[in-house]
Amino acid sequence: MVVLLLVTTIHFFCQTVLPFFTPIPSFNDQFQEHRLQFVQNIHLGEIVSIDVGETSHELLSVDVSNNLGDGGLVNSSVFSEKVMPKIVKLGVDKSGVGLGGRVLPINEKYVLFVSDDRKKMRCLMPPKSVMYKEQMDRLLVRNRRSSRAMRPRWSSVRDQDILASKVRITSSPSRMVDQELYASVFRNVSMFKRSYELMERTLKVYVYKDGEKPIFHQPILKGLYASEGWFMKLMEGNKQFVVKDPRKAHLFYMPFSARMLEHTLYVRNSHNRTNLRQYLKNYAEKIASKYPFWNRTGGADHFLVACHDWAPYETRHHMEHCIKALCNADVTTGFKIGRDVSLPECYVRSARNPLRDLGGKPASERHILAFYAGNMHGYLRKILLEYWNDKDADMKISGPMPPGVASKMNYIEHMKSSKYCICPKGYEVNSPRVVESIFYECVPVIISDNFVPPFFEVLDWEAFSVIVAEKDIPDLKKILAAITDEKYRELQNGVKKVQRHFLWHVKPQKYDLFHMILHSIWYNRVFQIKPR
């Protein structure tokens, strides 16, 4: 019934509405000449139902390559700044309300018809603006020089500890030889080393006991959201950093699970997450009324660790001044570079042994140039497959592998045997493939505009990864093939060296993932604190 209604709606649109529109700006001038032919000969492609958690949307692919003639192409750039999709009316729904929609150019072969519900469809549309890594680097420097944190309402001895640490960190020697750390993967290894040592000696954290299970104090240790669970488990059980007296704390941890918040409170298919945000708002107001610490800084010395995609929305406004460690580190949805922490998204397969299957083949035995296999979440992966699926023997890029244990092992074996592992964004900017690539010693190729890579404030991602702009997907193989064998071996060696910083251990080890998350929270607080 839904499909019939959709096809009828598109037919109505093609026959009565489309002929009266001016050309989509990203089409070239030949579209005008072939417009009527396009309407008359339109070919309906596969209807793809995409579940975005809140709702399902029907995307209709339309093959326009033949209808536009040999020279009639959509703008060759995947996402040109000139692309301004037309907003049209596709009919009415059951309540009689008009259904908004838009025609989105994808490449020379496809356009997408999508609904105009911007809130629900944001994850299926290209971003309106793009911030590249060079701009992020400049923003990091600027935000370190000028903190936007609230000035404390009254002074604290703990603030003086942090200010003293800041002086010692910034006065670190510019160069340092260290046997424990691989300098090339860090922005400034001497500053990191000094900061880490000061964290170990100085930092004290108070963990709030408030909050009820399962949303609070109940970590998830397997699956896609394991990062927030492992950190919660190891932080609450830590004896080195945790203090029972909050007056001795430099930082305050709010131990909730964004995944369990969604699992417990979200009403499936309600398309409404307001109650989730309200729940955390009530929690923040409770600790603000019960303790004096939140009010002293407006929450600037409080932090949260959350890996669910909805966490930026759930913590907006009422936790806006907190340090947020987020997997969904998107600069267009409120992620603050220099204050917030990009949390690595880790798919943990075994809670008992999070290091299972660790490692990969040496560089000389990696015969696949590039590999990707996965679900068609969001708009970008469809474009990736449109250009590269079954197009080149060196580019092993496909949709999801069949379910089952054998398929999972085949997936892992491909990552262990590939030089480059493609990490395209899904519904949101983050992807577990970034950490998976490092786990299996495959150089990650990050394709996700506006994504702030994990531990951005301390790691130099150019030393162990390749970052490709979404608009450059058509040139993906050219970009990878241009990397010399010597440069590739440097990148893969960087992956091996940085790997220790992305591993969970049942008992935390120095410089591991638990300590790296805590360090970045500490490090950003050091550079954001304002004296009274």
Side-chain angles (χ1 to χ4, degrees), residues 136-161:
M136 294 180 185
D137 289 335
R138 291 194 294 269
L139 188 59
L140 176 63
V141 173
R142 189 180 74 188
N143 288 348
R144 279 186 183 167
R145 290 174 179 169
S146 177
S147 169
R148 295 185 178 182
M150 171 182 165
R151 195 177 301 279
R153 292 181 178 175
W154 62 87
S155 61
S156 166
V157 175
R158 308 308 160 202
D159 291 348
Q160 298 307 313
D161 293 341

mmCIF file of all heavy atoms in Angstrom, residues 136-161:
data_model
loop_
_atom_site.group_PDB
_atom_site.id
_atom_site.type_symbol
_atom_site.label_atom_id
_atom_site.label_comp_id
_atom_site.label_asym_id
_atom_site.label_seq_id
_atom_site.Cartn_x
_atom_site.Cartn_y
_atom_site.Cartn_z
ATOM 1 N N MET A 136 39.724 23.010 11.464
ATOM 2 C CA MET A 136 39.614 22.493 12.829
ATOM 3 C C MET A 136 40.892 22.765 13.612
ATOM 4 O O MET A 136 40.840 23.099 14.802
ATOM 5 C CB MET A 136 39.317 20.988 12.796
ATOM 6 C CG MET A 136 37.974 20.617 12.220
ATOM 7 S SD MET A 136 37.735 18.812 12.235
ATOM 8 C CE MET A 136 36.169 18.690 11.357
ATOM 9 N N ASP A 137 42.042 22.605 12.945
ATOM 10 C CA ASP A 137 43.325 22.875 13.602
ATOM 11 C C ASP A 137 43.399 24.330 14.061
ATOM 12 O O ASP A 137 43.825 24.616 15.195
ATOM 13 C CB ASP A 137 44.485 22.578 12.649
ATOM 14 C CG ASP A 137 44.669 21.089 12.391
ATOM 15 O OD1 ASP A 137 44.268 20.287 13.256
ATOM 16 O OD2 ASP A 137 45.204 20.730 11.324
ATOM 17 N N ARG A 138 42.983 25.240 13.196
ATOM 18 C CA ARG A 138 43.017 26.663 13.554
ATOM 19 C C ARG A 138 42.048 26.968 14.693
ATOM 20 O O ARG A 138 42.357 27.760 15.590
ATOM 21 C CB ARG A 138 42.694 27.526 12.333
ATOM 22 C CG ARG A 138 43.786 27.503 11.261
ATOM 23 C CD ARG A 138 43.577 28.616 10.250
ATOM 24 N NE ARG A 138 42.361 28.432 9.469
ATOM 25 C CZ ARG A 138 42.313 27.780 8.320
ATOM 26 N NH1 ARG A 138 43.410 27.219 7.820
ATOM 27 N NH2 ARG A 138 41.171 27.668 7.655
ATOM 28 N N LEU A 139 40.886 26.314 14.661
ATOM 29 C CA LEU A 139 39.900 26.532 15.716
ATOM 30 C C LEU A 139 40.408 26.009 17.058
ATOM 31 O O LEU A 139 40.173 26.627 18.108
ATOM 32 C CB LEU A 139 38.593 25.833 15.342
ATOM 33 C CG LEU A 139 37.375 26.111 16.234
ATOM 34 C CD1 LEU A 139 37.063 27.607 16.247
ATOM 35 C CD2 LEU A 139 36.165 25.324 15.752
ATOM 36 N N LEU A 140 41.121 24.894 17.045
ATOM 37 C CA LEU A 140 41.693 24.342 18.276
ATOM 38 C C LEU A 140 42.664 25.336 18.898
ATOM 39 O O LEU A 140 42.618 25.598 20.107
ATOM 40 C CB LEU A 140 42.394 23.022 17.978
ATOM 41 C CG LEU A 140 43.124 22.361 19.146
ATOM 42 C CD1 LEU A 140 42.150 21.987 20.257
ATOM 43 C CD2 LEU A 140 43.898 21.126 18.673
ATOM 44 N N VAL A 141 43.540 25.906 18.086
ATOM 45 C CA VAL A 141 44.513 26.880 18.582
ATOM 46 C C VAL A 141 43.806 28.108 19.131
ATOM 47 O O VAL A 141 44.142 28.619 20.209
ATOM 48 C CB VAL A 141 45.494 27.277 17.455
ATOM 49 C CG1 VAL A 141 46.404 28.414 17.906
ATOM 50 C CG2 VAL A 141 46.312 26.071 17.025
ATOM 51 N N ARG A 142 42.812 28.577 18.412
ATOM 52 C CA ARG A 142 42.086 29.777 18.841
ATOM 53 C C ARG A 142 41.348 29.558 20.149
ATOM 54 O O ARG A 142 41.363 30.406 21.046
ATOM 55 C CB ARG A 142 41.099 30.208 17.753
ATOM 56 C CG ARG A 142 40.452 31.563 18.011
ATOM 57 C CD ARG A 142 39.495 31.919 16.893
ATOM 58 N NE ARG A 142 38.271 31.130 16.976
ATOM 59 C CZ ARG A 142 37.326 31.115 16.038
ATOM 60 N NH1 ARG A 142 37.504 31.802 14.922
ATOM 61 N NH2 ARG A 142 36.244 30.386 16.182
ATOM 62 N N ASN A 143 40.710 28.380 20.274
ATOM 63 C CA ASN A 143 39.939 28.103 21.484
ATOM 64 C C ASN A 143 40.836 27.878 22.705
ATOM 65 O O ASN A 143 40.414 28.085 23.836
ATOM 66 C CB ASN A 143 39.028 26.902 21.269
ATOM 67 C CG ASN A 143 37.862 27.217 20.356
ATOM 68 O OD1 ASN A 143 37.602 28.385 20.056
ATOM 69 N ND2 ASN A 143 37.164 26.193 19.886
ATOM 70 N N ARG A 144 42.075 27.445 22.471
ATOM 71 C CA ARG A 144 43.013 27.315 23.588
ATOM 72 C C ARG A 144 43.449 28.682 24.093
ATOM 73 O O ARG A 144 43.662 28.882 25.284
ATOM 74 C CB ARG A 144 44.234 26.511 23.152
ATOM 75 C CG ARG A 144 44.004 25.017 23.180
ATOM 76 C CD ARG A 144 45.292 24.285 22.885
ATOM 77 N NE ARG A 144 45.074 22.848 22.835
ATOM 78 C CZ ARG A 144 45.967 21.986 22.357
ATOM 79 N NH1 ARG A 144 47.130 22.429 21.909
ATOM 80 N NH2 ARG A 144 45.721 20.700 22.348
ATOM 81 N N ARG A 145 43.595 29.611 23.161
ATOM 82 C CA ARG A 145 44.022 30.957 23.548
ATOM 83 C C ARG A 145 42.916 31.719 24.273
ATOM 84 O O ARG A 145 43.190 32.535 25.153
ATOM 85 C CB ARG A 145 44.439 31.741 22.302
ATOM 86 C CG ARG A 145 45.741 31.250 21.676
ATOM 87 C CD ARG A 145 45.998 31.988 20.379
ATOM 88 N NE ARG A 145 47.248 31.565 19.753
ATOM 89 C CZ ARG A 145 47.595 31.891 18.513
ATOM 90 N NH1 ARG A 145 46.786 32.645 17.780
ATOM 91 N NH2 ARG A 145 48.743 31.476 18.018
ATOM 92 N N SER A 146 41.685 31.465 23.884
ATOM 93 C CA SER A 146 40.571 32.223 24.458
ATOM 94 C C SER A 146 39.462 31.269 24.885
ATOM 95 O O SER A 146 38.636 30.851 24.082
ATOM 96 C CB SER A 146 40.037 33.224 23.415
ATOM 97 O OG SER A 146 38.924 33.921 23.909
ATOM 98 N N SER A 147 39.462 30.918 26.156
ATOM 99 C CA SER A 147 38.468 29.988 26.682
ATOM 100 C C SER A 147 37.108 30.657 26.814
ATOM 101 O O SER A 147 37.005 31.831 27.181
ATOM 102 C CB SER A 147 38.916 29.466 28.051
ATOM 103 O OG SER A 147 37.869 28.764 28.679
ATOM 104 N N ARG A 148 36.063 29.899 26.527
ATOM 105 C CA ARG A 148 34.701 30.389 26.701
ATOM 106 C C ARG A 148 34.059 29.851 27.969
ATOM 107 O O ARG A 148 32.875 30.043 28.206
ATOM 108 C CB ARG A 148 33.839 29.995 25.491
ATOM 109 C CG ARG A 148 34.291 30.658 24.185
ATOM 110 C CD ARG A 148 33.333 30.319 23.056
ATOM 111 N NE ARG A 148 33.711 30.971 21.810
ATOM 112 C CZ ARG A 148 33.017 30.863 20.680
ATOM 113 N NH1 ARG A 148 31.917 30.118 20.633
ATOM 114 N NH2 ARG A 148 33.409 31.495 19.589
ATOM 115 N N ALA A 149 34.851 29.161 28.774
ATOM 116 C CA ALA A 149 34.311 28.576 29.999
ATOM 117 C C ALA A 149 33.883 29.677 30.968
ATOM 118 O O ALA A 149 34.428 30.786 30.976
ATOM 119 C CB ALA A 149 35.353 27.673 30.655
ATOM 120 N N MET A 150 32.912 29.334 31.796
ATOM 121 C CA MET A 150 32.419 30.278 32.797
ATOM 122 C C MET A 150 33.480 30.482 33.879
ATOM 123 O O MET A 150 34.118 29.548 34.333
ATOM 124 C CB MET A 150 31.135 29.716 33.415
ATOM 125 C CG MET A 150 30.618 30.488 34.612
ATOM 126 S SD MET A 150 29.145 29.709 35.286
ATOM 127 C CE MET A 150 29.053 30.531 36.881
ATOM 128 N N ARG A 151 33.670 31.735 34.296
ATOM 129 C CA ARG A 151 34.568 32.024 35.408
ATOM 130 C C ARG A 151 33.917 31.536 36.703
ATOM 131 O O ARG A 151 32.734 31.812 36.939
ATOM 132 C CB ARG A 151 34.842 33.517 35.483
ATOM 133 C CG ARG A 151 36.031 33.892 36.362
ATOM 134 C CD ARG A 151 36.267 35.386 36.327
ATOM 135 N NE ARG A 151 36.524 35.863 34.983
ATOM 136 C CZ ARG A 151 37.703 35.798 34.365
ATOM 137 N NH1 ARG A 151 38.738 35.257 35.008
ATOM 138 N NH2 ARG A 151 37.857 36.247 33.145
ATOM 139 N N PRO A 152 34.633 30.794 37.536
ATOM 140 C CA PRO A 152 34.029 30.253 38.767
ATOM 141 C C PRO A 152 33.439 31.358 39.646
ATOM 142 O O PRO A 152 33.971 32.467 39.714
ATOM 143 C CB PRO A 152 35.209 29.571 39.469
ATOM 144 C CG PRO A 152 36.184 29.274 38.376
ATOM 145 C CD PRO A 152 36.037 30.374 37.391
ATOM 146 N N ARG A 153 32.352 31.044 40.303
ATOM 147 C CA ARG A 153 31.711 32.024 41.181
ATOM 148 C C ARG A 153 32.508 32.255 42.460
ATOM 149 O O ARG A 153 32.406 33.307 43.069
ATOM 150 C CB ARG A 153 30.293 31.552 41.521
ATOM 151 C CG ARG A 153 29.361 31.566 40.323
ATOM 152 C CD ARG A 153 27.959 31.117 40.671
ATOM 153 N NE ARG A 153 27.082 31.195 39.519
ATOM 154 C CZ ARG A 153 25.824 30.768 39.518
ATOM 155 N NH1 ARG A 153 25.315 30.210 40.610
ATOM 156 N NH2 ARG A 153 25.087 30.876 38.438
ATOM 157 N N TRP A 154 33.269 31.253 42.862
ATOM 158 C CA TRP A 154 34.205 31.422 43.972
ATOM 159 C C TRP A 154 35.425 30.551 43.710
ATOM 160 O O TRP A 154 35.369 29.571 42.977
ATOM 161 C CB TRP A 154 33.542 31.100 45.321
ATOM 162 C CG TRP A 154 33.062 29.689 45.468
ATOM 163 C CD1 TRP A 154 33.766 28.610 45.897
ATOM 164 C CD2 TRP A 154 31.739 29.184 45.196
ATOM 165 N NE1 TRP A 154 32.989 27.480 45.904
ATOM 166 C CE2 TRP A 154 31.737 27.816 45.488
ATOM 167 C CE3 TRP A 154 30.554 29.791 44.734
ATOM 168 C CZ2 TRP A 154 30.603 27.024 45.335
ATOM 169 C CZ3 TRP A 154 29.428 29.005 44.585
ATOM 170 C CH2 TRP A 154 29.456 27.638 44.881
ATOM 171 N N SER A 155 36.527 30.948 44.297
ATOM 172 C CA SER A 155 37.795 30.267 44.026
ATOM 173 C C SER A 155 37.872 28.925 44.743
ATOM 174 O O SER A 155 37.125 28.659 45.689
ATOM 175 C CB SER A 155 38.965 31.150 44.457
ATOM 176 O OG SER A 155 38.898 31.407 45.846
ATOM 177 N N SER A 156 38.791 28.071 44.267
ATOM 178 C CA SER A 156 38.988 26.750 44.843
ATOM 179 C C SER A 156 40.468 26.391 44.761
ATOM 180 O O SER A 156 41.159 26.749 43.804
ATOM 181 C CB SER A 156 38.156 25.709 44.094
ATOM 182 O OG SER A 156 38.574 24.397 44.411
ATOM 183 N N VAL A 157 40.937 25.681 45.779
ATOM 184 C CA VAL A 157 42.317 25.200 45.764
ATOM 185 C C VAL A 157 42.541 24.291 44.563
ATOM 186 O O VAL A 157 43.636 24.258 43.978
ATOM 187 C CB VAL A 157 42.627 24.441 47.072
ATOM 188 C CG1 VAL A 157 44.027 23.830 47.028
ATOM 189 C CG2 VAL A 157 42.478 25.369 48.271
ATOM 190 N N ARG A 158 41.513 23.544 44.151
ATOM 191 C CA ARG A 158 41.637 22.617 43.021
ATOM 192 C C ARG A 158 41.903 23.369 41.715
ATOM 193 O O ARG A 158 42.621 22.873 40.841
ATOM 194 C CB ARG A 158 40.369 21.763 42.881
ATOM 195 C CG ARG A 158 39.957 21.072 44.163
ATOM 196 C CD ARG A 158 41.070 20.273 44.802
ATOM 197 N NE ARG A 158 40.823 20.019 46.212
ATOM 198 C CZ ARG A 158 41.757 19.722 47.104
ATOM 199 N NH1 ARG A 158 43.030 19.650 46.732
ATOM 200 N NH2 ARG A 158 41.445 19.519 48.370
ATOM 201 N N ASP A 159 41.321 24.551 41.596
ATOM 202 C CA ASP A 159 41.600 25.367 40.408
ATOM 203 C C ASP A 159 43.077 25.735 40.341
ATOM 204 O O ASP A 159 43.680 25.750 39.260
ATOM 205 C CB ASP A 159 40.753 26.648 40.434
ATOM 206 C CG ASP A 159 39.274 26.368 40.222
ATOM 207 O OD1 ASP A 159 38.940 25.237 39.837
ATOM 208 O OD2 ASP A 159 38.467 27.281 40.447
ATOM 209 N N GLN A 160 43.659 26.017 41.476
ATOM 210 C CA GLN A 160 45.081 26.382 41.505
ATOM 211 C C GLN A 160 45.952 25.198 41.087
ATOM 212 O O GLN A 160 46.991 25.381 40.439
ATOM 213 C CB GLN A 160 45.466 26.864 42.911
ATOM 214 C CG GLN A 160 44.706 28.109 43.360
ATOM 215 C CD GLN A 160 44.792 29.241 42.351
ATOM 216 O OE1 GLN A 160 45.876 29.559 41.858
ATOM 217 N NE2 GLN A 160 43.648 29.848 42.042
ATOM 218 N N ASP A 161 45.536 23.993 41.438
ATOM 219 C CA ASP A 161 46.256 22.789 40.990
ATOM 220 C C ASP A 161 46.285 22.720 39.471
ATOM 221 O O ASP A 161 47.329 22.438 38.854
ATOM 222 C CB ASP A 161 45.588 21.525 41.537
ATOM 223 C CG ASP A 161 45.689 21.395 43.042
ATOM 224 O OD1 ASP A 161 46.557 22.063 43.637
ATOM 225 O OD2 ASP A 161 44.895 20.620 43.612
#
